[in-house]
Amino acid sequence: MAAMEQLSGISPSLFLAVEMSTRMFGRVVALGQKAGKGADILSALAAGKTVGAVALSEESINVENDPLATMATREGDAVRVSGTKSLVINGPLADWFAVVGMLDEKAAVFLIEKDAPGLTLTERQRTMGYDGLAISGLDLDGCKVPADQVLGPFDVAPFLEQLKLWENQILIASSLGLMQASYITARDYAKQHRSGGKPIIAYQEVGFKLSEMLTLYQTAQLYAYRSAWMVDDNPKEAGLLTLCAKVFCTESAEVVAGKSLQVQSKDGYLAGGKAERSYRCAKYGQIAGVSTEIARVKIGDAALGRL
């Protein structure tokens, strides 16, 4: 988690591209393939010779309330996959896609090569933040997938929860990096720029903002590290704690970035700064993975003993 935070602080777009290819795509492939095509893909991924993408979201970025509409039907030793995916990170760059859909009324993952017949990429999609990230949609029209490239089937709810846990971990780490960049930028600016004959950090109002930013940032760190540790130490509690960390970290990232812009005054409002970049990127963490609204519902249900 600490290493992920550092990379995100340097380049949020590069961080998400790397994490969604190696950690997210790699974990999905490793779920059900220890030999054959899956092993070949994992070896190429570890050697840096291939780029992967996970295609999960459909009409909505959230799959909590809307069932998966991407469907596969069996055809001999293969399956035919049809559906539409949106916001596929690394889509324009990927060599392999892990497409999540339904097979025999259960969840499954279909490993599809970029040039497979029936697979079409949409134009690269522009987003408010993460400017350097390559994102596209994905259309599947009867795309034929060999049996050794089908993972699963899995029980739908537990499988999607696992995918969302992994995605939430990445988004939490990304939020830490955004906070780190925002805070350091504001602190250094306050030390170097002067007003009324003294550095602006000497003014109480600025000091208060920096203290609030640091408090949020360091609290978010503790939350993130504990949630990551719990995945290994207490998996039963890890899911709920990760949701708590997701809500706090992603929303704090927006607050810290906003305060950083205020400290920098007119310089903060100019495009191109780290705080401005962080402010635009922060919102994605709140809507991707398990959205903060749905996360709050789940946390509340757990608190009331409904889970």
Side-chain angles (χ1 to χ4, degrees):
M1 182 63 73
M4 293 162 72
E5 174 189 341
Q6 294 302 315
L7 178 56
S8 175
I10 296 169
S11 175
S13 295
L14 176 62
F15 168 78
L16 269 192
V18 170
E19 288 292 318
M20 294 304 291
S21 177
T22 56
R23 194 179 309 273
M24 189 71 181
F25 175 80
R27 280 175 161 176
V28 171
V29 175
L31 272 177
Q33 287 282 345
K34 300 187 183 300
K37 181 60 69 175
D40 294 340
I41 294 173
L42 289 176
S43 296
L45 195 65
K49 296 179 179 179
T50 193
V51 175
V54 177
L56 176 59
S57 302
E58 297 182 343
E59 288 187 7
S60 170
I61 194 172
N62 210 299
V63 294
E64 295 288 330
N65 297 326
D66 297 317
L68 292 168
T70 299
M71 297 289 176
T73 55
R74 295 192 181 275
E75 185 179 278
D77 292 335
V79 298
R80 293 268 182 191
V81 184
S82 296
T84 300
K85 296 294 186 178
S86 64
L87 284 176
V88 181
I89 295 176
N90 293 333
L93 309 175
D95 301 299
W96 284 91
F97 295 90
V99 178
V100 182
M102 299 294 291
L103 175 65
D104 299 335
E105 299 185 351
K106 289 195 172 185
V109 177
F110 312 101
L111 301 178
I112 305 176
E113 205 161 5
K114 63 179 179 180
D115 296 325
L119 184 150
T120 305
L121 294 177
T122 67
E123 292 185 1
R124 184 165 174 171
Q125 296 171 331
R126 298 182 61 188
T127 54
M128 182 176 74
Y130 294 103
D131 297 331
L133 203 58
I135 301 176
S136 69
L138 190 67
D139 291 326
L140 298 156
D141 184 13
C143 187
K144 189 173 183 178
V145 182
D148 66 344
Q149 293 172 210
V150 178
L151 312 183
F154 308 97
D155 290 335
V156 179
F159 179 64
L160 292 181
E161 283 183 10
Q162 183 66 75
L163 293 184
K164 287 300 181 181
L165 174 66
W166 293 341
E167 188 175 7
N168 285 337
Q169 288 177 321
I170 293 171
L171 296 170
I172 288 168
S174 180
S175 297
L176 290 184
L178 298 178
M179 280 186 272
Q180 179 195 81
S182 298
Y183 170 72
I184 292 175
T185 299
R187 181 199 64 192
D188 293 347
Y189 183 93
K191 288 180 178 179
Q192 296 165 5
H193 288 73
R194 304 176 70 86
S195 178
K198 58 184 179 181
I200 63 172
I201 200 170
Y203 290 93
Q204 190 177 59
E205 296 86 348
V206 174
F208 281 168
K209 278 192 173 58
L210 290 172
S211 68
E212 291 169 6
M213 293 165 64
L214 183 59
T215 299
L216 287 174
Y217 170 42
Q218 292 193 338
T219 304
Q221 274 187 321
L222 294 173
Y223 235 144
Y225 293 175
R226 184 165 184 260
S227 67
W229 170 72
M230 287 286 279
V231 172
D232 290 328
D233 188 70
N234 191 347
K236 288 185 178 180
E237 301 294 332
L240 181 61
L241 186 59
T242 300
L243 290 179
C244 294
K246 169 73 163 21
V247 171
F248 188 86
C249 294
T250 58
E251 294 187 352
S252 294
E254 183 178 0
V255 174
V256 171
K259 290 183 180 297
S260 182
L261 294 177
Q262 285 183 287
V263 169
Q264 296 173 73
S265 187
K266 66 177 181 64
D267 291 329
Y269 191 68
L270 298 176
K274 288 185 177 181
E276 178 260 349
R277 179 188 67 187
S278 297
Y279 192 75
R280 289 187 292 102
C281 293
K283 187 57 71 175
Y284 179 74
Q286 298 170 27
I287 61 175
V290 177
S291 70
T292 52
E293 289 85 358
I294 292 177
R296 279 186 166 86
V297 173
K298 289 178 173 288
I299 294 167
D301 286 342
L304 295 172
R306 294 173 181 166
L307 292 181

